[in-house]
Amino acid sequence: MLGLPLAAVSGMVYGAAGLLNDGRLTELALLIVGRILMGLGESLFLTGLMTWGIGRLGAARTGVVMSWTGIAIYAAIGLGASAGLACQATGGLAAVGGLMVVVPLLAMAIIAPLPAVPAAIGARRVPFHQMFGLIWRFGSVLALATVPFAAMSAFLTLDYAVRGWPHAGSTLAAFAAAYIAVRLFRAHLPDRLGAAKVASGSLLLETIGQVLVWAAPDPAVAIAGTILTGLGFSLIFPCMGVLATQAVPPDLRGRALGNFIAFADMALGLTGPLVGIVTHWSGIATAFLIGAIATGAALCLLPQINARTTQ
């Protein structure tokens, strides 16, 4: 309930930049301020909503909560991009800012009637280094598993263009379809079979998928690789989220989730620039080899996690 108003204020700042529309540093400064506010708000409401959902359904359904939250996030990215472009086409950046104000307020209206989950008794603040020490292994697996997604988002279209292949958008759509299908029909697996076991299989699928995309001789093999990547990546977030929340006391689960999500954000932010430097010298397809190496490294981390969680 704190993060959503911040998101709405971010929309007001964007709208002000759109009304200014002078193409100067003032407009740029407003956009930067608006993005910072949105980042703060997004961090609060995503962490709060996941913690709230786990509190309402119980810790045993953590995987389901995180899976469905992920579906909502990716659906919002897709719908928001389309709606934002439509608003900009009709009313410019000011209209985009208006949309950014209305949607968080609508979300607040939806969740306002829901009963709150009481804060954990004895909740306490812990130093960052202590929290990092509790969750870094789970977060590192998430970050490494996110590298293929970030690499494909940034470089798959370019790779298709270099190879002269058509329909790169269809290949990305195949990834998204596989990702969502697993979340819709197999979200219960981390809670039922064990998060570490499901994560191992998921990472193996991701690795195979990235090798296929890297070495693909034709678009059909590349599509198969992206589908396997989507199937594998889909449950990594809930699997490692389940393990991360189990590794901390109940009163620290919200803090753990917030820090855990930051690992994925870090991977998304760093993969494009760093992998871009490598592909400049070794070719675009190298991005997917790096994705395979990253998921292979994550597989190597899992035995350590299994050993610690079973002690």
Side-chain angles (χ1 to χ4, degrees):
M1 297 298 284
L2 294 173
L4 289 170
L6 269 177
V9 172
S10 170
M12 294 179 185
V13 177
Y14 266 65
L19 292 173
L20 189 63
N21 194 28
D22 62 359
R24 297 181 180 178
L25 288 178
T26 304
E27 184 181 0
L28 177 60
L30 285 173
L31 290 175
I32 292 173
V33 170
R35 192 65 193 94
I36 290 172
L37 290 172
M38 180 59 75
L40 293 172
E42 187 177 300
S43 179
L44 287 170
F45 70 69
L46 284 180
T47 304
L49 286 171
M50 276 191 282
T51 308
W52 197 353
I54 294 169
R56 284 173 59 82
L57 293 182
R61 305 294 299 280
T62 296
V64 172
V65 172
M66 299 188 77
S67 292
W68 280 87
T69 302
I71 292 174
I73 290 170
Y74 281 90
I77 291 172
L79 293 173
S82 301
L85 288 171
C87 286
Q88 182 155 5
T90 57
L93 187 58
V96 176
L99 179 67
M100 291 170 62
V101 172
V102 171
V103 173
L105 296 180
L106 177 61
M108 286 188 69
I110 292 172
I111 64 173
L114 298 177
V117 175
I121 298 175
R124 60 193 186 279
R125 295 182 63 86
V126 298
F128 171 78
H129 66 85
Q130 182 178 341
M131 180 59 66
F132 182 82
L134 292 172
I135 68 166
W136 74 268
R137 291 178 177 83
F138 315 108
S140 296
V141 169
L142 175 65
L144 291 168
T146 303
V147 170
F149 168 66
M152 289 198 306
S153 298
F155 300 105
L156 188 63
T157 302
L158 294 173
D159 186 51
Y160 265 55
V162 168
R163 299 186 191 215
W165 293 346
H167 310 306
S170 299
T171 306
L172 288 170
F175 167 86
Y179 177 95
I180 293 172
V182 174
R183 287 283 180 101
L184 284 175
F185 301 111
R186 292 292 181 265
H188 62 281
L189 289 181
D191 296 322
R192 180 174 295 181
L193 300 180
K197 182 184 296 184
V198 175
S200 296
S202 297
L203 287 169
L204 183 59
L205 283 176
E206 261 199 290
T207 304
I208 296 171
Q210 286 294 279
V211 170
L212 287 178
V213 177
W214 167 59
D218 54 59
V221 176
I223 290 176
T226 57
I227 290 173
L228 287 177
T229 303
L231 292 174
F233 180 54
S234 185
L235 291 182
I236 293 297
F237 180 73
C239 282
M240 304 319 297
V242 166
L243 295 174
T245 54
Q246 289 175 350
V248 300
D251 61 303
L252 296 179
R253 282 180 184 149
R255 173 78 181 277
L257 280 174
N259 285 264
F260 175 71
I261 294 170
F263 281 88
D265 294 334
M266 179 178 63
L268 289 170
L270 294 178
T271 297
L274 295 180
V275 174
I277 293 171
V278 177
T279 60
H280 178 73
W281 300 106
S282 56
I284 299 294
T286 310
F288 315 120
L289 176 60
I290 293 173
I293 293 171
T295 52
L299 269 171
C300 293
L301 275 176
L302 274 181
Q304 299 181 38
I305 292 174
N306 285 334
R308 287 179 172 270
T309 54
T310 55
Q311 285 177 354

